[in-house]
Amino acid sequence: MTTRIQRFDSVTSTNDTAKELLAEGAQSGTIVVAQTQTEGRGRSGRTWFSPDEDNLYLSMIHQSALDPEHIAGLTLDVAVAVAEALVTCGFEPELRWPNDILINGRKVGGILCELELKPCLAVIVGIGLNINGQDFPPEIEGIATSLLLAGHEPIETSSVERALIARLTDQVTRYERAGAPDIDTYLRYFRSIGRPVNLPSGEMGKVRGITDEGGLQVDVDGELRVMRSGEVTLR
Ligand code: BTN
């Protein structure tokens, strides 16, 4: 897989810029990296705090030959790529289904995959990683962290970026071949089994595992149910 990085000082969201570049004919494998985002987005319409503080904000265009319904599981393989990049930096990351990356129980990174149908089927794989940031707004202060705050020496974003892109291209290539996430590897970083979870119905369940397609398996009073991305949030 060939990658080409396009760098920007400031964008609204690297996902938006990647979509614009796709519309202008950019190739699969194009990666947008920005110094800061003015409208960084997370899942479920949340804001992704994106100060100009040596963090990583990147989005990759991936044109997939898979059916759109098989693409949801890609997020899990991307999460594995981020986790493995952090391992090479000396951390023991945890993955919280489906798209959170944690260190010491606090969120250090997140993934936002968005599907574009025009001008061709493409996934915009957006990744945010807090590297040298130290201050967070009050609403996320107690739950967010950065590599620096988690005990690392100040670190060049470029070295994390290199490690991440190498793992990301491997994982995306693997996913395209398999059409399903590598659950065994995901489970190495997944520590939520047995934890309680609130379902949208108001019921309580317990996490049992991850299905082959990447859904969250939840036990509700002995009945196994499968949650899709966006249906529940694990704590
Ligand atoms: C989440 O945890 O809810 C997902 C966060 C994803 C943030 C990244 S930063 C780069 C890319 N551009 C965005 O606007 N969002 C993603």
Side-chain angles (χ1 to χ4, degrees), residues 21-139:
L21 294 176
L22 177 69
E24 290 163 12
Q27 302 286 306
S28 188
T30 299
I31 297 176
V32 175
V33 177
Q35 192 75 22
T36 180
Q37 302 183 115
T38 55
E39 292 169 32
R41 295 195 297 277
R43 275 202 318 141
S44 314
R46 283 190 286 267
T47 298
W48 185 255
F49 180 58
S50 308
D52 186 354
E53 246 182 359
D54 286 345
N55 294 324
L56 195 56
Y57 315 109
L58 75 76
S59 300
M60 182 172 81
I61 298 174
H62 170 54
Q63 281 172 17
S64 177
L66 297 171
D67 292 337
E69 65 266 27
H70 285 129
I71 285 179
L74 175 64
T75 298
L76 275 69
D77 270 13
V78 174
V80 165
V82 181
E84 290 183 339
L86 292 180
V87 168
T88 66
C89 299
F91 288 97
E92 285 183 30
E94 172 186 347
L95 294 178
R96 188 170 57 190
W97 184 88
N99 69 327
D100 291 345
I101 298 99
L102 312 183
I103 291 180
N104 302 334
R106 290 184 175 219
K107 184 156 167 170
V108 73
I111 297 158
L112 180 67
C113 289
E114 295 181 310
L115 198 60
E116 285 289 280
L117 299 174
K118 284 184 188 163
C120 54
L121 179 68
V123 193
I124 308 297
V125 179
I127 302 172
L129 203 48
N130 301 328
I131 298 182
N132 291 314
Q134 302 207 55
D135 299 309
F136 295 99
E139 61 276 17

Side-chain angles (χ1 to χ4, degrees), residues 13-27:
S13 152
T14 52
N15 274 28
D16 291 343
T17 307
K19 287 179 193 178
E20 284 157 21
L21 294 176
L22 177 69
E24 290 163 12
Q27 302 286 306

